[in-house]
Amino acid sequence: MLKKIKSPLLRYGLLAIISCFLVGLGFFLSVYFGAWGKLPSKETLSNLQYQRASEVYSSDSVLIGKYYLFDRQPIDYKEFPEHLIDALVAIEDERFYEHKGVDYRSLFRVAFKTILMQDKSSGGGSTITQQLAKNIHPRIQSGTIGLAADKVKEMIIASRLEGIYTKEEVLTHYLNTVSFGDNTFGIESASLRFFNKKTRALNIEEAAVLVGMLKATYGYNPRIFPETSRKRRNLVFGALFLNDYITETEKDSLIELPLTIHYKKYDHNEGIAAYFREQVRKQMLRWCEEKNEEGASYNLYTSGLKIYTTLDYKMQQSAEKAMVQHMKSLQNQFEKGYGKSAPWLRDKKLIKKTVQKTTVYQKLISGGLTKQEAWDSLAYKKPLLLSNWNGEKEVQASTIDSIQHYMKFLNTGSLSLDPVTGAVKTWIGGIQYRHFKFDHIAQSKRQVGSTFKPIVYTAALEKGIEPCTYFSAQEVSYKNLEGWSPGNSEKKDEIFLNYSMKEALSKSVNTVSVKVLEKTGIPTVIEQAKKMGIRSKLPELPSLALGTGELSILELAAAYTTYVNNASVASPYLIQSIASSENVVLQTFQPKISKEPAFSEETRQTMIQLMKATVDHGTASRIRTTYGLKNDIAGKTGTTQNNKDAWFVAVMPRLVSVTWVGLEHHEIGFSSTRIGQGANAALPIFALWLKELNKDASFQEITGARFKTPDPVILAALDCEPIKRDGFFKRLFKNKKKKKRKKFKTKA
């Protein structure tokens, strides 16, 4: 047939066209039949599955975190505002509702401009459906031919998708899979990240910003390049106008709007309640493992689970604010207290020991370096970012300098519970999760100091010792304990004073606490502690009365719930329920309350009165005098030996709060009791927090709760002089300079 064509030019031209067609057809068929990689079948495409981030919610329904490999939260089409869809179609695929997956008109236009006119800005001609195909079947080829093969693949997949899904479903899948950079996938995650709101709440200018990013997620990122992003947003407004979605007047008004974002990154190291979220993560990993052993298939990072926790978002916000306010001030007091003689600057032995414990040092040693070589390597100075309460600063420093810098930081653990259920309301495991990963609530056990004394007094009351029993404050040297002689911070005339139990607890008199323990019996006190939820092994020594036992904050908080929960222990719990990605409840968690009361109702009422006295005119009286709080509060301060640990426990009718402050390096304590006592170092965190709660009427049920008036019998039993002074003749014959010597009775 070609021979009949007389014109050689026409003949060869036609031959070239046929050859190109055959080559193109062959190339298309090679792609279609899998020579360039297997294509997904219609069956596969009809059951699209993609990894979903699991979401963590507070008890007041605020999204506080996510666990994911890819930050994606798929949503339904009904969640998309109309102007979002209009903007997407207008700028990305204006004939979306007309084509069947491939817009050949647009494709030929792009090919003509790119090949014949060498216009590289003409775009790729891909439809939204083709872009969806690329999202669910990422490109794997390289080079020009490989790129062409991928393009053909996307056209084939797009046609198959349009045969399976409606236009609405295609848009839904696209907006749930498209990348917005920074490991953020899908419009919901992008909306939460850049505007801190759900997709359904996006206004038209916010929707235009996100849609505008799709052309180049980095180049049009509004956080990094706000001006470039604004110009791109305005192009989206122009496209909306050209496609008759908005009027020219509306377009001109929108273009004048400034670009504003509310960026919120759901970073594991940052954001609200980071320590709490980490503890939830650990519990959820165990939950997934248990369920999978039963035949389920849950993955915390990909299954899109919805985790509803007990945490109160507003309370946590206020608690973190109070913690930062106080710890910033306290850190300044702490450093000034030591001055130039600070152990992190002068104690060579401690510095060396601390460096040698670090992971970086251990790696150098395991890598074959000698101790000196490892030390020299870590002593090399380089530009480093060092953080403090005023922010970060780049300095020339060595790794050893950095270790010394962070050695000095005071840390904290602060937990509050609903004492009736054990539901955790706030959880602060440390001052900053990014730099201090160790959680002082979940992972730490420290000596609890005088916060253990209420347990001793509870055991004494249960044994029948009356609250108005008097004990001498005189210091005693115990002969059978190698002369151990616990003393008091206030020593003036103590040799002549006899304290009632009520007054002794409120003033935290050490000598009396030891004598109460002696009269009660160490085994009896330990048994009482077990009844109150203490599981840690306690020292069977007289020093137990002074809180030398090491407990976790969780244990201590649980023990104190008994005082406002009818003497029953409310175990702390974090998760209320777990639901699937479709919000089908998979499991709910009920409070764990001990069946047997830990002590009598009479003891419970008495202990509340004793601990109220501690707040009203005892060691915790700063609650009233400095902070002016008038709420019903009982409590106990605590300070351990050498001012290593500062504690404060607050008990309210609807709240139990435990706060610890100290250093991660237990070798370092506060320079003085004035700075390091519980009333100064730990109590203010609670006080500042409660002041904030008092301002919010929504917390009235907690802040306005009142203790019930004790039975008249209880009040009568407490009606006695707080302190009795020795009579004249006793004072006359007592030697102030000589300690009393006696044996400690190991059996009560």
Side-chain angles (χ1 to χ4, degrees):
M1 182 178 174
L2 289 173
K3 291 180 180 179
K4 294 180 179 180
I5 300 174
K6 294 181 179 180
S7 170
L9 186 61
L10 185 59
R11 187 166 63 248
Y12 286 123
L14 189 58
L15 181 62
I17 292 171
I18 294 171
S19 299
C20 288
F21 174 77
L22 292 174
V23 169
L25 179 62
F27 181 69
F28 176 84
L29 292 174
S30 72
V31 174
Y32 187 86
F33 288 108
W36 298 87
K38 188 178 179 181
L39 289 169
S41 65
K42 285 189 176 182
E43 184 180 354
T44 301
L45 293 173
S46 63
N47 187 30
L48 288 179
Q49 299 290 329
Y50 26 82
Q51 295 180 351
R52 303 166 181 242
S54 289
E55 303 162 17
V56 188
Y57 289 91
S58 65
S59 62
D60 40 349
S61 302
V62 178
L63 178 65
I64 60 173
K66 306 180 195 178
Y67 308 118
Y68 55 83
L69 297 178
F70 300 101
D71 184 3
R72 178 189 289 121
Q73 294 166 266
I75 55 176
D76 295 331
Y77 184 84
K78 63 184 179 183
E79 299 292 311
F80 303 143
E82 186 178 356
H83 49 251
L84 170 67
I85 299 299
D86 293 344
L88 176 64
V89 171
I91 197 70
E92 291 291 322
D93 187 359
E94 60 185 16
R95 281 182 292 281
F96 172 73
Y97 296 104
E98 300 167 19
H99 62 66
K100 298 295 183 182
V102 181
D103 186 353
Y104 292 103
R105 176 178 162 187
S106 177
L107 198 62
F108 289 136
R109 172 183 56 78
V110 170
F112 178 80
K113 286 186 175 182
T114 303
I115 297 171
L116 298 182
M117 301 179 64
Q118 297 295 301
D119 183 1
K120 294 183 179 180
S121 65
S122 59
S126 292
T127 63
I128 288 173
T129 320
Q130 284 174 266
Q131 292 177 49
L132 170 60
K134 184 169 69 174
N135 293 343
I136 62 177
H137 200 276
R139 294 173 177 176
I140 56 174
Q141 308 295 337
S142 58
T144 304
I145 302 297
L147 178 61
D150 280 331
K151 281 280 192 181
V152 173
K153 278 185 189 179
E154 289 159 13
M155 292 168 68
I156 297 169
I157 295 170
S159 296
R160 290 178 180 178
L161 287 169
E162 290 270 355
I164 298 168
Y165 296 109
T166 64
K167 290 290 185 180
E168 285 186 359
E169 290 170 334
V170 168
L171 288 169
T172 302
H173 282 303
Y174 174 74
L175 283 170
N176 281 327
T177 57
V178 66
S179 171
F180 287 86
D182 293 340
N183 201 27
T184 303
F185 294 84
I187 190 68
E188 182 79 340
S189 291
S191 180
L192 286 165
R193 174 165 292 197
F194 290 100
F195 297 104
N196 193 28
K197 61 172 65 173
K198 299 261 185 190
T199 303
R200 63 174 176 265
L202 290 172
N203 58 39
I204 188 170
E205 59 267 26
E206 292 164 342
V209 169
L210 295 179
V211 167
M213 288 179 68
L214 298 176
K215 185 176 177 65
T217 55
Y218 179 74
Y220 294 125
N221 186 311
R223 178 178 63 87
I224 304 170
F225 306 109
E227 183 56 24
T228 306
S229 176
R230 188 187 67 81
K231 289 178 179 177
R232 176 66 181 170
R233 179 204 68 177
N234 292 347
L235 282 178
V236 175
F237 293 149
L240 281 165
F241 165 64
L242 291 174
N243 287 276
D244 298 323
Y245 290 114
I246 59 175
T247 65
E248 187 171 12
T249 302
E250 288 172 325
K251 179 201 72 171
D252 292 341
S253 297
L254 289 168
I255 285 174
E256 293 301 316
L257 293 174
L259 187 148
T260 56
I261 64 171
H262 185 179
Y263 191 80
K264 185 175 182 180
K265 187 177 181 181
Y266 289 91
D267 187 330
H268 189 60
N269 289 312
E270 303 290 348
I272 196 166
Y275 294 92
F276 177 83
R277 287 185 279 113
E278 172 60 11
Q279 187 62 17
V280 170
R281 185 186 73 86
K282 290 177 180 178
Q283 291 190 14
M284 283 302 302
L285 287 174
R286 289 195 292 271
W287 182 87
C288 289
E289 186 178 351
E290 290 168 4
K291 292 299 177 184
N292 292 345
E293 287 175 358
E294 297 171 6
S297 182
Y298 296 119
N299 185 308
L300 179 60
Y301 304 105
T302 61
S303 295
L305 299 170
K306 297 182 189 297
I307 305 144
Y308 298 96
T309 71
T310 61
L311 192 87
D312 187 293
Y313 182 80
K314 287 169 71 177
M315 290 177 79
Q316 180 72 19
Q317 267 192 322
S318 297
E320 291 187 10
K321 178 183 174 183
M323 181 274 291
V324 170
Q325 181 181 343
H326 173 64
M327 292 301 290
K328 186 175 181 179
S329 170
L330 185 66
Q331 184 69 39
N332 189 45
Q333 289 182 51
F334 174 72
E335 292 183 34
K336 281 185 176 179
Y338 272 111
K340 294 181 179 179
S341 61
W344 57 88
L345 297 174
R346 300 295 183 189
D347 192 334
K348 304 291 185 186
K349 188 176 179 181
L350 175 60
I351 295 166
K352 184 177 181 180
K353 180 182 174 183
T354 304
V355 170
Q356 290 179 342
K357 281 183 178 179
T358 62
T359 304
V360 64
Y361 178 86
Q362 296 293 338
K363 280 184 178 179
L364 292 174
I365 295 298
S366 62
L369 269 63
T370 66
K371 289 182 178 181
Q372 187 59 50
E373 287 171 338
W375 186 271
D376 291 341
S377 175
L378 296 179
Y380 176 76
K381 293 190 183 294
K382 56 195 172 186
L384 282 181
L385 274 177
L386 295 183
S387 176
N388 59 34
W389 283 108
N390 295 315
E392 288 186 332
K393 185 178 180 181
E394 186 177 289
V395 295
Q396 283 293 122
S398 67
T399 302
I400 294 173
D401 294 332
S402 176
I403 293 167
Q404 287 180 256
H405 174 76
Y406 289 111
M407 277 175 67
K408 69 184 178 183
F409 278 92
L410 292 166
N411 222 309
T412 189
S414 181
L415 176 76
S416 68
L417 308 175
D418 178 336
V420 177
T421 64
V424 170
K425 293 300 177 184
T426 67
W427 178 301
I428 300 174
I431 56 171
Q432 188 192 63
Y433 187 75
R434 178 175 291 279
H435 291 293
F436 302 94
K437 293 288 192 290
F438 189 78
D439 188 335
H440 290 280
I441 294 175
Q443 296 173 281
S444 177
K445 287 187 178 184
R446 306 287 285 236
Q447 290 189 356
V448 293
S450 296
T451 60
F452 191 80
K453 288 177 183 175
I455 298 174
V456 175
Y457 282 63
T458 298
L461 292 171
E462 283 292 282
K463 191 165 183 176
I465 301 172
E466 294 295 326
C468 278
T469 304
Y470 289 90
F471 293 85
S472 170
Q474 182 177 6
E475 190 171 340
V476 175
S477 177
Y478 294 99
K479 293 186 287 185
N480 57 336
L481 298 173
E482 299 180 349
W484 181 65
S485 179
N488 301 314
S489 55
E490 294 290 336
K491 295 185 180 290
K492 185 179 180 182
D493 289 335
E494 68 175 14
I495 193 172
F496 302 129
L497 303 181
N498 300 280
Y499 283 80
S500 69
M501 288 216 300
K502 177 181 178 181
E503 188 69 8
L505 184 63
S506 72
K507 295 295 193 292
S508 205
V509 183
N510 289 336
T511 52
V512 172
S513 295
V514 173
K515 290 167 186 174
V516 172
L517 175 72
E518 183 181 22
K519 189 166 184 176
T520 307
I522 293 174
T524 304
V525 171
I526 290 176
E527 183 59 31
Q528 182 63 63
K530 287 180 180 177
K531 289 179 181 179
M532 295 172 70
I534 302 298
R535 297 290 172 260
S536 295
K537 184 174 175 58
L538 295 170
E540 297 178 26
L541 298 168
S543 62
L544 176 65
L546 308 182
T548 55
E550 294 184 348
L551 306 179
S552 71
I553 289 176
L554 288 166
E555 285 180 290
L556 197 60
Y560 271 81
T561 64
T562 58
Y563 295 121
V564 280
N565 191 33
N566 299 317
S568 293
V569 181
S571 298
Y573 74 105
L574 287 67
I575 301 173
Q576 295 190 90
S577 64
I578 302 167
S580 68
S581 57
E582 289 77 30
N583 223 17
V584 175
V585 176
L586 303 172
Q587 186 169 346
T588 57
F589 299 87
Q590 300 302 320
K592 292 181 181 178
I593 311 298
S594 62
K595 294 179 181 178
E596 296 296 325
F599 41 77
S600 68
E601 175 62 15
E602 291 77 12
T603 294
R604 190 193 72 78
Q605 291 186 31
T606 302
M607 287 304 302
I608 287 293
Q609 294 306 111
L610 264 58
M611 289 190 288
K612 281 176 70 178
T614 302
V615 171
D616 292 339
H617 54 77
T619 57
S621 60
R622 289 191 194 191
I623 288 277
R624 307 296 189 206
T625 58
T626 303
Y627 297 98
L629 294 168
K630 302 186 187 310
N631 312 70
D632 263 21
I633 309 168
K636 189 70 191 76
T637 58
T639 312
T640 60
Q641 192 173 17
N642 298 323
N643 305 308
K644 296 288 180 68
D645 306 278
W647 293 88
F648 179 64
V649 182
V651 179
M652 297 173 68
R654 296 298 306 273
L655 189 73
V656 165
S657 179
V658 179
T659 302
W660 164 86
V661 172
L663 284 99
E664 293 192 347
H665 294 277
H666 201 251
E667 297 91 339
I668 307 174
F670 288 88
S671 60
S672 68
T673 303
R674 179 183 64 82
I675 300 173
Q677 63 181 307
N680 183 71
L683 179 150
I685 292 179
F686 171 79
L688 290 167
W689 176 51
L690 186 57
K691 283 188 76 171
E692 286 298 309
L693 297 188
N694 283 341
K695 297 174 185 176
D696 192 330
S698 65
F699 295 120
Q700 176 64 25
E701 191 175 345
I702 294 172
T703 57
R706 297 282 181 250
F707 291 115
K708 291 181 180 178
T709 303
D711 293 340
V713 175
I714 303 297
L715 293 174
L718 290 166
D719 187 15
C720 57
E721 288 293 320
I723 300 174
K724 284 185 178 180
R725 188 175 173 84
D726 284 341
F728 173 76
F729 287 105
K730 265 194 174 183
R731 297 201 307 272
L732 185 65
F733 291 105
K734 272 188 178 179
N735 187 343
K736 283 187 178 183
K737 297 181 180 179
K738 189 176 181 181
K739 290 181 184 177
K740 182 178 179 181
R741 288 177 59 80
K742 68 181 285 284
K743 283 188 176 182
F744 185 91
K745 296 177 184 177
T746 54
K747 292 184 180 179

